[in-house]
Amino acid sequence: MTDLATPATHVWPPADSTPFVDHPGLLQAHWVGAVAVITLTRPAKRNAMNDPLVHALKSTFEHMPAQAVAAVIHGQGDHFCAGLDLSELQERDAVEGLHHSRMWHTALNAIEYGRVPVVAALHGAVVGGGIELASACHIRVADDSAFFALPEGTRGIFVGGGGSVRIPRLIGASRMADMMFTGRVYNATDAERLGLCHYKVDAGGALAKAIELAQRIGQNAPMTNYALMHALPRIADQTADHGLFTESLIAAITENAPIAKERIRAFLEGRAAKVRAS
Ligand code: 1HE
């Protein structure tokens, strides 16, 4: 595992580092400690997602090495992701379109419901399928260059990568509909205010902040991270009665882990950090 210095900008990966996953011209993955940094490497096409890139993402997350504690996704060049590769859309019929959308669902589910929490580092265009990809991640960091749009509305199509399920959970169906009806573009400040992203940083700082957060998340008890990724969203979809029951089950399992017992003991013995106002 190569422990690379935290990058200051989205100029990444360093030329002298070796990826542990390499799909040439599509995607690479490098280690920063135990954080897997996944880079979309199609900058000439603004990291637009063609089918091979969707497959590469799915494979990378399905085969995430056991030593990974968290992951980061970002895009090479000036943009995070320009969404679906529109050049692939021209000749597709309805049945092929259905299967294509389901392929995106499988790939983005592999991110959302994978082994490790994923932080998206967003800059430049985060549009169409780019927002769908970002919304499948667990935490989103946007820098001041980021802009968010759903141009599907003006292109005569609809979202197909899970956007109609995930985006309303972040900003509400009504705001999503406005983005698609009117072609509205939000900047990073808007995005933070609306809940499209959790953190906003200066231009060029998204990747470094995302890695910092991923390293911190990776220090959590694994079962806590698992519960946040796999139980919390499902509880949110359940009735209150079922949700409370599921919560009790996952709480009991989580607090039974040796690492939880040790961390509680450390606090009670004055060995753990207190919560302080920020
Ligand atoms: C593309 C794509 C793409 C760029 N598919 N080729 N997404 C969109 O509707 C967004 C379309 N893209 C743009 O609005 C702009 O390209 C950007 C704002 C992202 C960047 O602008 P810019 O000036 O930096 O780059 P560019 O000159 O527009 O593009 C550079 C090249 O990338 C150019 O190709 P070239 O061969 O002429 O050099 C572009 O054609 C190409 N390119 N974006 C294909 N998206 C699961 S359903 C999801 C549905 C959607 O995502 S729909 C939204 C699609």
Side-chain angles (χ1 to χ4, degrees):
M1 186 187 304
T2 315
D3 194 354
L4 299 161
T6 300
T9 73
H10 56 267
V11 180
W12 178 270
D16 59 351
S17 69
T18 308
F20 70 91
V21 172
D22 192 6
H23 297 273
L26 298 172
L27 174 158
Q28 287 188 335
H30 293 77
W31 292 113
V32 176
V35 172
V37 178
I38 318 291
T39 309
L40 309 181
T41 57
R42 227 187 153 215
K45 295 292 179 185
R46 305 322 186 233
N47 298 314
M49 305 236 294
N50 57 8
D51 288 1
L53 178 49
V54 178
H55 285 299
L57 267 174
K58 173 176 178 284
S59 160
T60 300
F61 280 88
E62 283 181 345
H63 301 105
M64 186 60 66
Q67 71 261 37
V69 295
V72 167
I73 298 183
H74 76 119
Q76 201 172 59
D78 292 337
H79 301 281
F80 173 67
C81 176
L84 173 69
D85 188 320
L86 292 168
S87 66
E88 289 189 342
L89 203 59
Q90 284 171 0
E91 306 302 332
R92 200 175 280 149
D93 67 19
V95 173
E96 289 165 341
L98 172 65
H99 289 300
H100 180 264
S101 170
R102 297 299 288 159
M103 176 189 80
W104 270 65
H105 292 169
T106 307
L108 298 196
N109 277 351
I111 296 173
E112 183 172 12
Y113 296 113
R115 279 198 48 251
V116 294
V118 184
V119 183
L122 308 174
H123 73 290
V126 185
V127 302
I131 298 189
E132 295 184 294
L133 171 60
S135 63
C137 299
H138 304 95
I139 299 287
R140 283 161 291 283
V141 179
D143 82 16
D144 273 322
S145 71
F147 55 98
F148 300 76
L150 291 171
E152 288 89 337
T154 53
R155 309 249 184 263
I157 56 176
F158 192 64
V159 288
S164 63
V165 170
R166 293 191 177 100
I167 299 168
R169 288 181 181 160
L170 303 179
I171 61 172
S174 174
R175 278 191 204 282
M176 178 181 171
D178 175 41
M179 291 175 80
M180 293 188 68
F181 276 134
T182 67
R184 185 172 189 164
V185 181
Y186 285 121
N187 63 27
T189 303
D190 298 329
E192 186 186 32
R193 175 173 55 85
L194 298 178
L196 256 182
C197 70
H198 301 83
Y199 298 86
K200 184 182 85 69
V201 295
D202 291 343
L207 180 57
K209 180 68 177 178
I211 291 173
E212 176 198 319
L213 291 168
Q215 286 170 329
R216 178 172 178 159
I217 292 166
Q219 291 167 16
N220 291 338
M223 197 58 210
T224 301
N225 282 346
Y226 186 88
L228 288 169
M229 293 172 62
H230 292 267
L232 182 59
R234 292 184 166 98
I235 291 170
D237 279 345
Q238 291 178 337
T239 61
D241 184 47
H242 290 192
L244 292 174
F245 186 70
T246 309
E247 178 186 276
S248 297
L249 293 177
I250 199 76
I253 294 169
T254 306
E255 68 200 31
N256 193 47
I259 187 171
K261 295 189 187 309
E262 165 50 27
R263 288 185 178 192
I264 303 288
R265 196 178 313 119
F267 174 77
L268 294 174
E269 293 172 359
R271 291 184 285 115
K274 293 183 188 181
V275 179
R276 299 286 189 201
S278 59

